Amino acid sequence: MDAVFFDMDGLLVDSERVWLEIETGVMARLGAVWTPEHQAHLVGGSMERTVDYMLAVSGAEVAPQAVRDWMIDGMVARLQDGVPVMPGASELLDALRDEGVPVALVTSSLRPIADAVLKSVGKERFDLVVTADDVTRTKPDPEPYLTAARRLGAEPVRCVVLEDSPNGVAAATAAGCAVVAVPSLLPVEQAPGRLVVTSLTDIGVADLRALLGP
């Protein structure tokens, strides 16, 4: 196993509820209502896609950059108070570190939001952090995971990705990685080269190695 890649929102940390809170507030500023169904439509996507969708739903004539800034500022301010780490995530990170397996955080969130989350989780636990600022195409495109593999000198087919969303799973699969899916807001089906579990507490390093075969 060359490396393990963790998604962030909904997989590493319980931040989807924070996103819902901030998105709801931003939509109120745009004079519209935001629902969990709207959020589910965007889970695992980019900030640009979210902003475009918000403006389309609200019909507000506001510059996309302004909405983007409201989102980033709101998330960073809210995350300053900390964000819960998902069950089993810390234990798995520690176990991978003990076995000397390189670990990367690969997220569609922007760098300021990832940095705010890492204050709770510990940036030192990751050998590499890849955010939306580091790629030209975000998930479901494979570029984020291919970028992480390249920077770590790893072969994608010898890497395991931990994801919670269909977009993230699609990106990891397209990159050629094995996948452990822990679905949060949307279901993820079992498939070859993919293990679907209900929690990170259900897996250990041996399970990740087994996904890659001999």
Side-chain angles (χ1 to χ4, degrees):
M1 184 162 61
D2 286 1
V4 174
F5 304 144
F6 281 70
D7 175 51
M8 188 174 78
D9 296 298
L11 185 285
L12 177 66
V13 292
D14 188 11
S15 54
E16 294 296 358
R17 67 185 68 186
V18 182
W19 278 105
L20 179 59
E21 175 188 326
I22 299 305
E23 288 163 352
T24 300
V26 169
M27 280 296 277
R29 294 181 70 171
L30 295 173
V33 175
W34 191 252
T35 68
E37 289 72 27
H38 286 132
Q39 184 192 28
H41 182 72
L42 297 167
V43 65
S46 67
M47 179 67 75
E48 286 69 25
R49 182 182 170 211
T50 298
V51 169
D52 288 346
Y53 182 81
M54 286 177 150
L55 289 171
V57 169
S58 67
E61 294 185 1
V62 177
Q65 184 63 47
V67 179
R68 185 177 185 272
D69 290 344
W70 294 347
M71 289 286 291
I72 295 172
D73 293 346
M75 284 298 294
V76 170
R78 179 65 176 75
L79 292 168
Q80 295 301 323
D81 297 329
V83 60
V85 178
M86 295 296 279
S90 291
E91 292 80 0
L92 185 56
L93 280 168
D94 290 343
L96 289 164
R97 178 67 65 189
D98 289 344
E99 296 204 18
V101 179
V103 177
L105 181 66
V106 183
T107 177
S108 292
S109 286
L110 296 163
R111 178 69 60 171
I113 296 171
D115 286 344
V117 166
L118 287 169
K119 288 181 180 178
S120 294
V121 180
K123 188 173 183 177
E124 71 282 355
R125 302 175 100 167
F126 296 92
D127 299 284
L128 175 71
V129 177
V130 176
T131 73
D133 294 296
D134 300 307
V135 297
T136 56
R137 297 176 301 277
T138 56
K139 306 170 189 177
D141 193 276
E143 184 183 352
Y145 287 115
L146 293 174
T147 298
R150 184 179 68 253
R151 291 185 180 180
L152 288 177
E155 291 291 336
V157 294
R158 299 299 302 166
C159 296
V160 179
V161 170
L162 305 171
E163 270 284 358
D164 73 302
S165 72
N167 271 345
V169 169
T173 301
C177 304
V179 182
V180 175
V182 189
S184 57
L185 296 180
L186 297 174
V188 177
E189 301 299 323
Q190 293 279 6
R194 180 189 308 165
L195 175 64
V196 181
V197 297
T198 58
S199 169
L200 290 177
T201 59
D202 296 337
I203 58 169
V205 178
D207 300 300
L208 304 185
R209 292 189 189 281
L211 263 179
L212 298 173

